[in-house]
Amino acid sequence: MQTQLAARIVDLREKVNMSQSELAKRLGIDKSSMNKIEKSTRKVSSEELDKIASIFDVSTDYLLGRSTPDRKHIEQEADLDKAIDESRSFDGKPISDHDREVVKKILRGYFN
């Protein structure tokens, strides 16, 4: 169960382009503790689990492998992708792939 929890934390963190250090800071732990959590060599407290779920807008059940991502989260990702796909830069051209990723990172950070 710890391994699945660690994998889901890493997956969620990487999806929003968040560094391990940034997640550790938001959790109020040091980077080495975060590294151990992601390697399944340190257990996650119930308080930390709750904070992680809040940061990534998922349920603790999802983190623990008891459910799939909630529908709201999937729909928000699809809406975000669609909005960015329909966006144009100031000069009317499509947004570059690099800029698209930057915008996604900013918006995910804002919504999380």
Side-chain angles (χ1 to χ4, degrees):
M1 180 135 100
Q2 262 323 91
T3 304
Q4 186 171 29
L5 171 61
R8 291 205 172 178
I9 292 170
V10 171
D11 181 57
L12 289 166
R13 181 179 59 73
E14 289 177 348
K15 279 184 181 174
V16 297
N17 296 315
M18 183 184 294
S19 69
Q20 205 176 59
S21 296
E22 186 179 346
L23 181 55
K25 183 177 179 182
R26 290 183 71 176
L27 290 173
I29 61 176
D30 57 50
K31 185 182 178 220
S32 66
S33 293
M34 190 70 243
N35 187 282
K36 289 176 184 176
I37 288 170
E38 289 190 0
K39 290 184 179 213
S40 297
T41 58
R42 178 188 178 278
K43 291 189 177 189
V44 178
S45 73
S46 57
E47 182 180 311
E48 291 166 342
L49 184 68
D50 188 52
K51 284 182 184 179
I52 293 166
S54 293
I55 289 168
F56 295 114
D57 192 29
V58 296
S59 69
T60 54
D61 279 346
Y62 170 73
L63 290 172
L64 295 171
R66 297 178 186 154
S67 69
T68 57
D70 64 22
R71 187 163 197 76
K72 177 183 155 196
H73 186 73
I74 293 168
E75 289 170 358
Q76 284 175 342
E77 280 293 313
D79 290 344
L80 178 60
D81 286 335
K82 182 180 176 186
I84 292 172
D85 286 343
E86 293 173 355
S87 299
R88 300 278 179 206
S89 64
F90 290 113
D91 59 5
K93 296 178 183 175
I95 296 174
S96 71
D97 289 340
H98 175 267
D99 289 348
R100 174 185 310 281
E101 290 307 312
V102 170
V103 170
K104 281 184 183 181
K105 182 177 179 179
I106 292 168
L107 291 174
R108 285 182 185 129
Y110 175 78
F111 289 117
N112 285 334

